[in-house]
Amino acid sequence: QDQEGNAVKGDNVHVLDSAQVYVRNDCDRPVAVIGMDNVVIVNTEHGVLVMRTDQSQKVKEIANKLKGN
């Protein structure tokens, strides 16, 4: 975690002028984040999730929609 509270997991992630951002990159594609606060970004081979941290309770709901349920 850096001074602004940003946390990065994975390679090829670049964060500028952002605070309280969590980025997970499981792919070779680069992820760039500029001017964001309180967000989660997850990049996997299955897709990309971008959400405000206060919306984490809705992850299951969107996962079900993506599965077609």
Side-chain angles (χ1 to χ4, degrees), residues 23-31 40-50 62 66:
V23 183
R24 185 179 108 198
N25 188 14
D26 293 345
C27 299
D28 293 331
R29 289 182 306 232
V31 175
V40 173
I41 301 161
V42 179
N43 183 30
T44 72
E45 65 182 47
H46 303 292
V48 178
L49 170 69
V50 179
I62 198 69
L66 292 170

Side-chain angles (χ1 to χ4, degrees), residues 1-61:
Q1 209 171 30
D2 67 13
Q3 288 179 306
E4 290 81 26
N6 300 314
V8 172
K9 182 177 181 183
D11 296 324
N12 213 2
V13 176
H14 309 278
V15 180
L16 295 173
D17 300 327
S18 299
Q20 301 299 317
V21 171
Y22 172 79
V23 183
R24 185 179 108 198
N25 188 14
D26 293 345
C27 299
D28 293 331
R29 289 182 306 232
V31 175
V33 181
I34 304 171
M36 301 295 293
D37 296 324
N38 300 306
V39 294
V40 173
I41 301 161
V42 179
N43 183 30
T44 72
E45 65 182 47
H46 303 292
V48 178
L49 170 69
V50 179
M51 69 177 187
R52 291 191 329 240
T53 54
D54 65 347
Q55 297 294 307
S56 61
Q57 72 279 1
K58 295 183 180 177
V59 170
K60 186 173 183 176
E61 178 183 344

